[in-house]
Amino acid sequence: MRRLFITCLYCKKELFGRTDKKFCDPQCKSAYQYKKSKELPERFYNKVDNQLKLNRKILKKYNKGGMVTVRASMLTQEGFDPNFFTHYWKNTKGDVYLFAYEYGFFRKKERNLDKYVLIKWQNYMGF
């Protein structure tokens, strides 16, 4: 009877032991599953969650003073997408601030430039 050579699905080394063995060690199994999951199309939830986290990171980076105005192009160059937000707050003037977690933004035109007013969530805003 001839023995067939079975190789690890990840590193292609020859396997010994059980005939139904697929990986040479737990690291190869983990690396194979990680690689396989990266080949699958990204799930909708992951896309939304990743964009919200990126938006928060960018807003936090530029809002060092509690209330800051920055050019919209600065944020969008870093990957900011204003279509992704967690909640909103409307001030007494009727301006609607969109939030990515605790960091908010309000789009406005100033001297023909698109800008964002950045704020941080405060207790008086409720919840």
Side-chain angles (χ1 to χ4, degrees):
M1 183 181 212
R2 259 193 338 196
R3 182 181 181 333
L4 294 174
F5 291 103
I6 301 170
T7 59
C8 174
L9 292 176
Y10 185 71
C11 70
K12 307 299 182 208
K13 289 181 185 172
E14 185 178 355
L15 298 176
F16 297 97
R18 293 189 347 247
T19 56
D20 62 341
K21 195 172 181 181
K22 296 179 181 180
F23 304 98
C24 56
D25 59 33
Q27 288 78 18
C28 278
K29 181 178 181 180
S30 179
Y32 177 82
Q33 290 172 340
Y34 177 76
K35 180 182 169 193
K36 195 172 175 182
S37 73
K38 291 306 252 179
E39 293 169 355
L40 296 173
E42 193 174 17
R43 293 186 319 206
F44 177 75
Y45 168 81
N46 291 346
K47 285 183 180 180
V48 171
D49 191 46
N50 289 340
Q51 186 62 55
L52 284 171
K53 288 175 182 174
L54 179 62
N55 281 359
R56 181 192 179 278
K57 180 181 173 184
I58 294 167
L59 291 171
K60 181 180 180 183
K61 176 183 174 182
Y62 284 95
N63 189 359
K64 300 291 185 197
M67 185 172 188
V68 180
T69 303
V70 297
R71 280 176 280 154
S73 60
M74 290 173 65
L75 302 182
T76 54
Q77 283 174 354
E78 294 197 33
F80 180 78
D81 186 340
N83 296 313
F84 290 81
F85 56 92
T86 55
H87 60 287
Y88 69 92
W89 173 72
K90 190 176 190 177
N91 68 10
T92 54
K93 293 190 280 182
D95 299 330
V96 177
Y97 286 81
L98 304 176
F99 281 81
Y101 304 104
E102 75 273 29
Y103 292 96
F105 58 97
F106 170 72
R107 187 180 203 125
K108 71 176 196 172
K109 271 247 200 257
E110 191 176 274
R111 289 189 227 130
N112 227 15
L113 288 173
D114 284 328
K115 294 188 176 186
Y116 285 112
V117 177
L118 308 182
I119 62 172
K120 190 170 181 188
W121 187 263
Q122 303 296 316
N123 288 334
Y124 70 84
M125 295 174 178
F127 225 37

